[in-house]
Amino acid sequence: TSAQNLAYEFAYLLKLHSVANSMPLELPLKNPKLSSYFGMRIDPFTRRWAAHYGLDIYGAYRTNVFATAPGIVRRAGRWGSYGKMVEIAHGYG
C-alpha cells in the first residue's frame, strides 16, 4: 500500500540522514598537506602495491587538529613510524 511505501521511504531517508551526519566532510586542520591518497599505492612499509583505504593528512608543527564529524578516537599519540597521529572512527567503514 502507499502507507507502507511512505513508511519505507521515510525509514530510508532517516538512515541516509544518519550516514550523512557521520561523514567527515571537512578537513581536520588549516592548511593541510596530503601525504598519501585513497587507492592503490606503493606501501611505504612493504614496498609493494597495496590498497590504501584513507587519506594521510599532515600539517605544520603544533597545528591544532579537529574532529570533523562525530566519532570515536581509536588512537592518539606516537605510533611507530607513523609518528604522532590521531585516528578517528566515524562509523560506516
Side-chain angles (χ1 to χ4, degrees), residues 13-84:
L13 288 174
L14 285 176
K15 182 67 172 176
L16 188 60
H17 183 263
S18 174
V19 170
N21 280 336
S22 73
M23 293 176 68
L25 298 175
E26 297 180 53
L27 292 171
L29 52 114
K30 293 180 181 173
N31 303 315
K33 307 270 191 284
L34 287 173
S35 61
S36 189
Y37 296 88
F38 184 91
M40 295 300 291
R41 66 168 184 177
I42 298 291
D43 185 284
F45 302 105
T46 66
R47 303 282 184 230
R48 295 176 186 224
W49 283 100
H52 183 244
Y53 296 107
L55 295 173
D56 295 342
I57 304 167
Y58 69 96
Y61 179 69
R62 298 185 65 95
T63 298
N64 290 324
V65 178
F66 304 93
T68 60
I72 297 170
V73 174
R74 304 294 294 238
R75 278 188 189 101
R78 184 163 293 284
W79 194 50
S81 56
Y82 287 105
K84 292 180 180 177

